[in-house]
Every structure is written in structure tokens, then in C-alpha cells.
Amino acid sequence: PCVAGGGAPRRAELATAHRLAFSRAAKGQLWVQLLEKAYAKAHGSYKAISGGEIAEALLALTGAPSHTIDFTDHDFDMALLWSRLCYFAKQGFPMGCATPPNDQLRQVGLVGNHAYSILDCRTVERRWSSDGREGGPVHLIRVRNPHGQGEWSGDWGDSSAKWSELVAASDSQDSEPAPLERTGENDGTWWIDLTHFVMAFALVEVSLAHREGWHSGSLPNAF
């Protein structure tokens, strides 16, 4: 979850008697705020949950084990990463990714040392590329900033000229894939190609929480 608390609110202009300063949901839904309140209560304060590892939050929410893919590992394989991301997305596993502590990421709309959500993985087919070369498949990842604003401004972002190269999209599973959703608004959700994703982010963490048939739980332990 994306939560904040302790000290000055993240958005001071919203910290009023009738507006929410932290988590919010569209259409007046209250479950997000209630979940955040319970999570903060379990850990003692909002300040205690203002940061941390993605895997910790996924474990707390699902009780399922998590898996981390670190892009700095000596045996990191980009092709294998894409294959696994597609599998995780097909299974409906909750996924997150994090940026390294790099202030220069602000130049492309990202925040350093920040957690994001992964919503989808798709492959698009291009007629041609903007540099004049022949087209071909491009692997795209849909990412969301949990702050609900602030987006990637590079290739395949909402305002990128790359979308003019698009022929069709598929996920290699469906004969009639759904169109790629692109809002064109600063809602914190965008697409990014796999190459730039690996360049901008440092890791992916996934919760192995199966929708049906599998059950898991956490037990106290010591080593």
C-alpha cells in the first residue's frame, strides 16, 4: 500500500477537515482509507508505515510468500524477466517495482527510491520505428504510481510519439486481445518498454498469491 504519515502531510493542501491527506480512492470508496488505518494501527502509527519494502506490504496484505527479481544480480536475464512478468500477470499475482535512489529520474517523470505497481504486460507490433528502421515486437509494461500522479515521460508514455508506430497488440495468449488502455491524463498510470523499464527501475517484487486453490499463511519463527 502507498501510505504516508508523521510530520508534514504529503499533500498539505489536502490536509483539511473535509479532505483526505493520504490514501484516496475514486468514486468515494472508503475501503482504501480503512485498510490504511488498520495497517497503521497494526504497526503503531502512520509514521511507521511511511516507507519500507514492497515485499513486506504484499506479505502483510496476502499472507503469501513473495519473490524478488533484482536487476543488479550477476545472472539477471532480461528475456527471462519478461517471460516471468507475463506469467505473473496471467496468474493475477500482485506485483510491484521500485526505482533506485537516483534524483536524475525526475527528468523523465519518475521518483527515485519509490515503489510503483505493475498492472499489465503486453507485446505490441510496430509497422516501423521513429528512427526509420523496420518495425517489430515491443514489450510494454503498464506501471502505476500509487500517488495517483506523476508519470514516465519517455518512450511509450502517454504523450509519446511512439504510439503512432503501433500496428496491433497481443499478449500471446488471446486471439483477440483487449486494446491498450491509455488515458492521456496525469493519473499516475502509463506504459513503458522493457528496455527503459530495466534502465529506470531496480527490482520487481511479486506476491505468489493465487486466486483459487492455493492457501498460505505466515507463522512466527526465529533462526
Side-chain angles (χ1 to χ4, degrees), residues 42 50-51 67 74-75 88 111 120 140 179 186:
S50 63
H67 178 65
H74 69 279
D75 57 349
F88 295 151
V111 180
D120 198 4
L140 296 181
N186 183 16

Side-chain angles (χ1 to χ4, degrees), residues 54-96:
I54 298 172
E56 294 175 339
L58 292 176
L59 174 62
L61 290 170
T62 67
S66 61
H67 178 65
T68 300
I69 302 176
D70 190 337
F71 299 171
T72 63
D73 285 348
H74 69 279
D75 57 349
F76 173 74
D77 186 314
M78 189 181 299
L80 179 59
L81 169 67
W82 176 250
S83 176
R84 299 175 82 178
L85 287 178
C86 291
Y87 172 76
F88 295 151
K90 183 175 177 59
Q91 294 297 316
F93 293 160
M95 287 187 284

Side-chain angles (χ1 to χ4, degrees), residues 82 85-86 89 95 97 108-110 116-125 138-145 150-163 166 168-171 177-198 200-201:
W82 176 250
L85 287 178
C86 291
M95 287 187 284
C97 53
V108 290
L110 301 179
Y116 293 80
S117 302
I118 296 178
L119 304 181
D120 198 4
C121 301
R122 301 282 289 276
T123 298
V124 297
E125 197 71 32
V138 178
H139 302 317
L140 296 181
I141 301 167
R142 195 175 189 212
V143 181
R144 183 179 187 275
N145 184 346
E151 299 187 4
W152 161 254
S153 59
D155 289 353
W156 299 101
D158 276 6
S159 58
S160 171
K162 289 286 186 180
W163 291 97
L166 185 63
S170 73
D171 56 8
L180 298 176
E181 183 178 353
R182 185 163 54 107
T183 65
E185 300 177 357
N186 183 16
D187 58 0
T189 304
W190 72 89
W191 294 93
I192 181 174
D193 61 280
L194 179 63
T195 299
H196 283 99
F197 177 78
V198 172
F201 290 83

